[in-house]
Amino acid sequence: MTRRRTLVVIVRSFALVAFVVFAIPFMGVFFNSGSDASGERAYVDLTRVVTGEPRIIALSPNRPIIVLRASEQQLHDLESLSAHVWDPAMPAPVSGLFVHWAFSTGKFGGCRLQHKPAGAAQTAADSEQSQWFGGYWAPGCEASYDYAGRAIKTAHHAYATYVGKTPSLHAPEIALLDDGRLAITLESR
């Protein structure tokens, strides 16, 4: 084998390994576990959901959801954010509950969301201080969402500096049961 051929093989091998290493975190989004068949239901005990505190619950390894029973202050903040989101239509909460899949819909899609409470946002050192009312942020996708799952378009109200056009979070089909549980329909994504 010539030096050139050896170098080509080494470079291609490194490229393949790098691709696999960077693709692994995103693979769970594309593959469904066998127990998550379309139409199955998962149940969440709402007695553990504290008003004003979002809970990220893993229904199965690839199905985390966010459940929030919004406080009066959060509902007020959501109303004031309507002019600063891409889709101002706010979904009507079922008994004050907002339920969303815990994956972003941002520029890369499929990044897991983190809850970021109201307070100082992550901004560049030279920018003015942002007014973050609380919500969800995907560090890998850099997308910011309010508690109603709407993508934020105004940099002054986003958690980070990225405010590209992003769809709102996806919400599963839910039903509030009489025994204080929430039934969530699992769907194939």
Side-chain angles (χ1 to χ4, degrees):
M1 199 180 314
T2 67
R3 284 180 84 177
R4 182 172 187 210
R5 179 74 180 142
T6 304
L7 183 59
V8 167
V9 169
I10 291 171
V11 169
R12 286 184 180 168
S13 298
F14 277 116
L16 179 63
V17 169
F19 174 77
V20 170
V21 166
F22 287 110
I24 286 174
F26 297 100
M27 297 308 283
V29 174
F30 300 110
F31 296 111
N32 217 357
S33 67
S35 64
D36 288 345
S38 180
E40 285 188 29
R41 286 188 154 193
Y43 300 93
V44 174
D45 181 10
L46 293 177
T47 59
R48 295 180 163 203
V49 177
V50 178
T51 301
E53 295 180 20
R55 287 205 49 198
I56 298 177
I57 302 167
L59 299 178
S60 68
N62 294 326
R63 295 280 193 244
I65 61 160
I66 300 171
V67 178
L68 169 71
R69 179 168 294 160
S71 68
E72 290 298 320
Q73 180 63 44
Q74 288 168 327
L75 291 173
H76 174 59
D77 291 344
L78 290 173
E79 286 297 324
S80 64
L81 274 173
S82 290
H84 305 285
V85 296
W86 287 105
D87 182 11
M90 188 165 57
V94 177
S95 295
L97 292 171
F98 290 102
V99 182
H100 304 286
W101 293 112
F103 287 105
S104 76
T105 56
K107 61 184 177 181
F108 300 115
C111 299
R112 288 196 185 227
L113 297 173
Q114 297 176 355
H115 171 240
K116 297 296 181 184
Q122 173 183 317
T123 57
D126 60 342
S127 67
E128 65 181 70
Q129 186 64 23
S130 178
Q131 184 177 8
W132 175 248
F133 289 116
Y136 313 109
W137 182 62
C141 298
E142 299 180 2
S144 300
Y145 303 90
D146 66 9
Y147 285 122
R150 303 174 300 177
I152 298 174
K153 70 177 180 179
T154 308
H156 183 68
H157 294 284
Y159 183 74
T161 56
Y162 178 75
V163 289
K165 184 146 175 88
T166 305
S168 296
L169 295 176
H170 299 293
E173 184 179 315
I174 62 172
L176 191 57
L177 304 178
D178 292 335
D179 61 356
R181 292 184 307 154
L182 185 67
I184 301 167
T185 303
L186 300 176
E187 56 196 31
S188 296
R189 292 186 296 141

